[in-house]
Amino acid sequence: MLEPQSRATLTDQLRPPAGFALEHAVGTTFTLSLDSALAIPLAFAAQRLAVDDPIGVLDAVRRAASRIDIFAQAGQVSIATPATDLVAFLEPMVHPVGVRTGIFHPKIWFLEYSRGEERAYRFVCSSRNLTADRSWDTVVTLDGVAGGGGEARTRNLPLSRLLRAMPDLAVIPLTSTRLARIEALATQWETIEWEMPDDVKDVAFHVWGNGRRPELDVSGKRALLISPFVSDAGLAELRRGTRTDSHLVSRAETLNVLTEQPKLETWVLDEAADPLDDQPAQAEALHGLHAKVFVFDRWDGAHVFMGSLNATDAALRQNVEVLVELTGNLNRLGVEATRTALGSLITPHIRTAPDDTADDQVALRLEGALRRVATIPFHARVRAGDAYSVEVWTEAPPKMPDEIDVSWHLLTRPATVIPGLPGSPEQPSVVTRLELADVTPYVIVTARQGDVRRTTVVLASLEGDPDDRREAVLARHLSTPGALLRLLMLMLELAGVSIDAPGGGVGWSRLGAGADGSGLFEALTRAVASEHSALPDVQRIVRYVSEHKQEALPDGFAELWRVVWAAYKARAGVSNG
């Protein structure tokens, strides 16, 4: 049954099984907060790291960048103000997409984990976007192993088709390496046999978009629909097979504008209800409904659909959407069981006059305009000199209505706001006097009509990207020798090089530095002996810091590192670096 008393964070859902490590993750979302996306690589780190630990986040994101792909609706990407420059490490893994009709709306994760040659798989399907929103959402998590036959392929084919199709929707083409990894995952996905959750006897997957529209079997004696957004046509479609009374849980503002329908009981969240009485007082409260669940009682049991699809005509006929269908025990998963589980969380809806939605309509119009802008490829070219400059241009930008004002700026230059959209390939717009760490492909586009304003982040394809740009971003956070030592130890430890416990062996602090680097000397020695691949990464950081930020180097470390790097090159046959 639905269990509002249970809390599950996305990072908990993504974290590998015991003994496994992330091999590949592909996620989707409608709205994407780049700040929230920074927490995703932490779920796959070898140890738990804090979201507010910039050094830990830096290394976790840097190491996971090649193994994570996130597809999000172009024009629905956001970032907090002031922005963190750590999002530079997200650039390779974020892929804005555009679709011909509707919106790209699924919230799913394809996950592959490894333990030696062994592989394990997980599918996460939720109603939650990759943002910091605190709404009530739902999630289904399925674990499985590859090797199934024809029945598995039939079941998984809708998902594998979607996985293969997503790169073609990307505004910026993916690299050949990423395309090959996604294709390999899609092929493997067709063979996965899923473990059934408790009280579930069958599972099916339904995908809208990509030229396909599944026909849901919505027949049943009774139905319970949970959806924050509902249209008359969408509701009629989902109720067409219900023989007796049905229930709809939604938002008051949605229900107030719906046409009243017979044999339909309507409910809203009771914001005063708190089903989490046993939670500590400091637990963050959830507010607002964002869950999408459709429950139908049938002769063969309860059929529960969970995922991204709202009860609207647009969702059913235009968008890219995903639902998981669980078939199982009527007494545990059916309509009455779900109503009981919701308990005092819902209360009957009392219809009132609709609110004035003039500003809401303007906001929706601005968001639609930004989606159109964001699906047009943006380009940026880096020019080097005494300082750096970035030229920005677009291909055939859409014409904006006269009443909508548009402007843009680079993420790292919020004060340099330029009216209109970036120039043409022949006459690009130019932002000058940039430090290396301020070079960025992130373009912030703002649309305004009257007092209503909306903003999105557009990712441009970056030409002439300096090889050491991310090292420059990282160096900003290495303000002390202790910060550098912590980063190097994390790089080694998360790469699998064991670090001795503090107090044992010859710690760095015993070699003359005052910072806490116990175990680093021994770890470097072991890495050299094993010709570990982490050392070239360490070399890139040390080289940049040595050339540009010597105050972050501990006393005597440069001499030690020269010996370590020379020994590694001799053993590994590296000729330069």
Side-chain angles (χ1 to χ4, degrees):
M1 67 172 67
L2 289 178
E3 297 180 347
Q5 295 79 10
S6 299
R7 296 283 186 92
T9 65
L10 178 59
T11 52
D12 287 337
Q13 301 298 311
L14 302 183
R15 188 163 287 116
F20 284 80
L22 175 68
E23 187 70 21
H24 192 194
V26 179
T28 72
T29 180
F30 172 56
T31 54
L32 169 64
S33 163
L34 294 176
D35 307 272
S36 297
L38 284 171
I40 297 302
L42 300 185
F44 307 119
Q47 56 179 266
R48 289 181 179 266
L49 299 169
V51 176
D52 58 358
D53 172 12
I55 298 299
V57 172
L58 274 167
D59 193 61
V61 176
R62 183 189 60 81
R63 293 182 66 253
S66 65
R67 293 175 289 141
I68 300 176
D69 294 283
I70 300 174
F71 293 86
Q73 170 67 53
Q76 298 292 153
V77 182
S78 65
I79 191 169
T81 302
T84 171
D85 56 9
L86 300 188
V87 297
F89 293 85
L90 294 175
E91 294 165 17
M93 68 178 78
V94 173
H95 313 299
V97 302
V99 293
R100 290 186 177 182
T101 61
I103 56 177
F104 182 80
H105 199 247
K107 302 100 165 67
I108 57 178
W109 284 90
F110 301 84
L111 298 156
E112 180 180 24
Y113 306 110
S114 61
R115 183 170 60 186
E117 297 300 316
E118 185 180 0
R119 296 291 184 270
Y121 297 88
R122 180 175 297 162
F123 181 65
V124 178
C125 182
S126 73
S127 59
R128 180 175 178 78
N129 289 299
L130 190 45
T131 68
D133 185 62
R134 296 291 303 169
S135 300
W136 287 95
D137 281 289
T138 52
V139 61
V140 179
T141 302
L142 299 171
D143 287 302
V145 294
E151 184 177 345
R153 186 177 187 279
T154 300
R155 173 183 283 125
N156 296 319
L157 193 56
L159 294 178
S160 63
R161 281 174 172 164
L162 176 62
L163 186 53
R164 285 192 172 96
M166 289 191 302
D168 292 334
L169 303 176
V171 177
I172 299 176
L174 275 66
T175 65
S176 58
T177 300
R178 289 185 182 271
L179 289 173
R181 285 178 64 89
I182 291 175
E183 173 60 31
L185 183 61
T187 298
Q188 198 76 319
W189 209 262
E190 295 177 1
T191 71
I192 297 174
E193 295 280 6
W194 300 104
E195 298 176 14
M196 295 297 157
D198 292 343
D199 302 305
V200 172
K201 61 184 179 182
D202 196 14
V203 62
F205 306 105
H206 305 280
V207 177
W208 284 257
N210 192 29
R212 295 172 175 83
R213 178 176 177 266
E215 292 293 337
L216 291 187
D217 183 352
V218 293
S219 63
K221 180 179 180 181
R222 62 180 64 87
L224 186 151
L225 313 176
I226 303 175
S227 179
F229 303 103
V230 184
S231 70
D232 287 323
L235 183 59
E237 177 78 10
L238 292 174
R239 290 191 67 206
R240 72 181 189 277
T242 304
R243 299 194 301 275
T244 60
D245 292 354
S246 52
H247 306 268
L248 172 62
V249 181
S250 188
R251 299 176 177 179
E253 56 268 32
T254 295
L255 297 174
N256 288 336
V257 299
L258 279 180
T259 301
E260 293 189 69
Q261 298 191 22
K263 295 184 178 181
L264 177 67
E265 294 185 35
T266 56
W267 306 78
V268 294
L269 285 184
D270 185 345
E271 296 294 346
D274 181 13
L276 305 173
D277 295 333
D278 59 340
Q279 294 291 321
Q282 66 270 24
E284 293 186 66
L286 300 181
H287 298 285
L289 179 71
H290 197 250
K292 292 93 172 173
V293 183
F294 311 127
V295 185
F296 300 93
D297 289 353
R298 297 214 286 267
W299 65 270
D300 61 341
H303 289 253
V304 182
F305 299 85
M306 302 173 69
S308 65
L309 186 130
N310 285 291
T312 66
D313 192 52
L316 287 163
R317 299 184 184 280
Q318 297 180 30
N319 299 347
V320 178
E321 307 274 3
V322 175
L323 287 181
V324 173
E325 178 184 2
L326 305 174
T327 304
N329 187 292
L330 198 63
N331 294 327
R332 293 283 295 168
L333 301 175
V335 170
E336 290 307 314
T338 303
R339 287 185 61 193
T340 300
L342 292 172
S344 60
L345 186 62
I346 60 174
T347 187
H349 171 246
I350 299 175
R351 194 179 185 91
T352 61
D355 296 332
D356 182 7
T357 60
D359 283 352
D360 292 339
Q361 293 303 314
V362 172
L364 290 174
R365 189 182 187 201
L366 294 179
E367 290 170 7
L370 288 175
R371 286 196 293 271
R372 290 193 298 275
V373 168
T375 55
I376 303 299
F378 276 50
H379 300 271
R381 181 186 297 116
V382 182
R383 299 290 191 186
D386 294 338
Y388 289 89
S389 63
V390 175
E391 302 173 347
V392 185
W393 69 93
T394 62
E395 298 177 9
K399 180 175 174 54
M400 290 289 104
D402 293 339
E403 61 271 22
I404 297 180
D405 294 321
V406 180
S407 60
W408 68 276
H409 63 82
L410 290 183
L411 173 68
T412 53
R413 281 291 180 268
T416 307
V417 178
I418 302 176
L421 290 171
S424 65
E426 296 77 21
Q427 292 183 310
S429 303
V430 184
V431 181
T432 60
R433 296 194 297 276
L434 297 170
E435 297 180 7
L436 177 56
D438 290 329
V439 171
T440 178
Y442 292 121
V443 178
I444 310 300
V445 181
T446 300
R448 187 192 306 269
Q449 181 176 339
D451 294 330
V452 184
R453 175 178 178 271
R454 287 294 184 269
T455 298
T456 192
V457 181
V458 176
L459 185 61
S461 59
L462 192 60
E463 301 177 12
D465 190 4
D467 291 339
D468 53 354
R469 176 170 63 93
R470 291 185 180 87
E471 279 73 28
V473 172
L474 192 152
R476 279 182 169 175
H477 297 269
L478 302 178
S479 56
T480 66
L484 176 62
L485 290 176
R486 169 161 166 68
L487 173 64
L488 299 185
M489 293 179 74
L490 270 174
M491 291 176 68
L492 293 169
E493 187 168 6
L494 296 180
V497 180
S498 61
I499 305 290
D500 287 344
V506 183
W508 174 255
S509 59
R510 299 189 185 184
L511 295 180
D516 180 14
S518 300
L520 179 59
F521 177 78
E522 294 88 339
L524 290 172
T525 302
R526 281 192 288 271
V528 169
S530 63
E531 302 175 19
H532 202 286
S533 59
L535 288 181
D537 285 344
V538 173
Q539 162 65 3
R540 289 174 59 89
I541 302 301
V542 173
R543 180 172 57 190
Y544 187 88
V545 171
S546 299
E547 294 174 355
H548 302 281
K549 203 166 186 177
Q550 290 190 0
E551 66 272 18
L553 284 175
D555 292 340
F557 181 81
E559 292 77 9
L560 171 66
W561 178 252
R562 276 195 290 271
V563 174
V564 169
W565 184 239
Y568 170 79
K569 289 197 296 182
R571 289 185 62 89
V574 177
S575 59
N576 51 44

